């Protein structure tokens, strides 16, 4: 059973920056996909940025050019650097990880961290 704990959310003015952090309790060696989703009020949860098989990254169109996902394998940390924030980026941001063990897939989520961008 993995635990994911996000931190770094907060209140920021439009145009500002935030760094989200996610502490992951399991080894990255067993994870085939991990990253960040977000959910705004009244909307479905959506992908923001992910590491996928082989270490490649994918980004939502809304995040391209403004957000950067990174990770520290030694510390079991995943980060999301968010620049040029907009009010529409306001959402709860969730860290997730998909683990493959013995042919079974396990999907883990953190509790989320609130990001609020005001104009």
């Amino acid at each position: 059973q993995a635990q994911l704990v996000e931190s770094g959310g907060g209140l920021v003015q439009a145009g500002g920056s935030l760094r989200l952090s996610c502490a992951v309790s399991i080894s990255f060696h067993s994870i085939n996909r991990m990253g960040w989703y977000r959910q705004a009020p009244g909307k479905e949860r959506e992908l923001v940025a992910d590491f996928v098989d082989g270490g490649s990254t994918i980004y939502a169109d809304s995040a391209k050019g403004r957000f950067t996902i990174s990770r520290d394998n030694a510390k079991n940390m995943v980060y999301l650097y968010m620049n040029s924030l907009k009010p529409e980026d306001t959402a709860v941001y969730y860290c997730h990880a998909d683990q493959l063990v013995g042919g079974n897939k396990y999907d883990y989520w953190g509790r989320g961290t609130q990001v609020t961008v005001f104009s």
Side-chain angles (χ1 to χ4, degrees):
Q1 187 81 12
Q3 291 187 335
L4 283 66
V5 180
E6 304 97 336
S7 60
L11 185 65
V12 63
Q13 191 169 18
S17 300
L18 280 176
R19 185 190 78 166
L20 305 184
S21 301
C22 176
V24 182
S25 68
I26 58 173
S27 169
F28 284 6
H29 292 298
S30 64
I31 295 174
N32 73 313
R33 183 163 178 158
M34 64 181 176
W36 297 90
Y37 277 66
R38 70 185 182 186
Q39 188 167 19
K43 295 187 177 181
E44 293 186 356
R45 193 172 295 189
E46 62 178 7
L47 171 72
V48 178
D50 254 10
F51 285 105
V52 297
D53 288 347
S56 299
T57 55
I58 58 172
Y59 291 89
D61 287 344
S62 59
K64 289 178 182 177
R66 300 189 299 127
F67 295 1
T68 302
I69 189 172
S70 69
R71 68 190 193 189
D72 186 329
N73 293 341
K75 296 181 179 179
N76 278 27
M77 297 290 293
V78 182
Y79 304 98
L80 184 68
Y81 294 85
M82 303 187 294
N83 297 313
S84 302
L85 283 162
K86 306 174 182 179
E88 51 263 44
D89 294 317
T90 295
V92 178
Y93 284 70
Y94 297 91
C95 181
H96 86 102
D98 294 344
Q99 183 188 36
L100 289 177
V101 178
N104 296 314
K105 179 187 170 186
Y106 302 90
D107 193 17
Y108 300 107
W109 293 86
R111 293 185 177 183
T113 184
Q114 177 71 46
V115 172
T116 302
V117 184
F118 64 94
S119 57

